Amino acid sequence: MIDISNKWVLVTGASRGLGRLMTEELARRGANLILQASKEENLNEIAKFARNLGCEVVTVGCDLGSIEEVNKMLDKIDDYDIDVVYNNA
C-alpha cells in the first residue's frame, strides 16, 4: 500500500462493516480521516479510535440519498484537500 500518512482520506459508510475496517487500517497507517455515516453519532467510537492513534478526524452525518444533505456535507469538508476517497456506502 502507498504511504498515506498525513493524507486526507474520505471514507463513506465508515461506522460499520468494511468501511469501519478500512477506517481502522487507515488510522493505523497514519491517515487523516473524514468519516461519513448516515448518523454522525454512529462515528463516535471509530473516531475516538483514530484520534487515539494521533489522526486528525472529521465526522459528518449525511444521508447520501439526499442531495441536500450531500451538499451540506460537501460544504463542511470543502476546506480539506482530500487525497483519497474510499466510497464504501
Side-chain angles (χ1 to χ4, degrees), residues 20-89:
R20 184 182 176 103
L21 290 172
M22 180 57 78
T23 298
E24 290 173 0
E25 186 58 27
L26 291 166
R28 287 185 189 101
R29 292 177 180 262
N32 295 316
L33 302 164
I34 300 172
L35 306 177
Q36 178 275 333
S38 57
K39 295 183 181 177
E40 191 168 6
E41 61 268 15
N42 292 345
L43 296 165
N44 291 339
E45 187 177 316
I46 190 64
K48 182 178 178 182
F49 171 85
R51 287 183 181 116
N52 285 339
L53 291 176
C55 303
E56 289 186 57
V57 179
V58 174
T59 60
V60 61
C62 175
D63 174 0
L64 296 176
S66 165
I67 193 67
E68 293 84 13
E69 287 194 34
V70 170
N71 285 330
K72 286 180 187 178
M73 176 183 77
L74 294 174
D75 286 342
K76 181 175 180 178
I77 67 174
D78 190 45
D79 291 337
Y80 297 91
D81 291 325
I82 299 171
D83 299 290
V84 178
V85 175
Y86 182 77
N87 190 16
N88 175 66

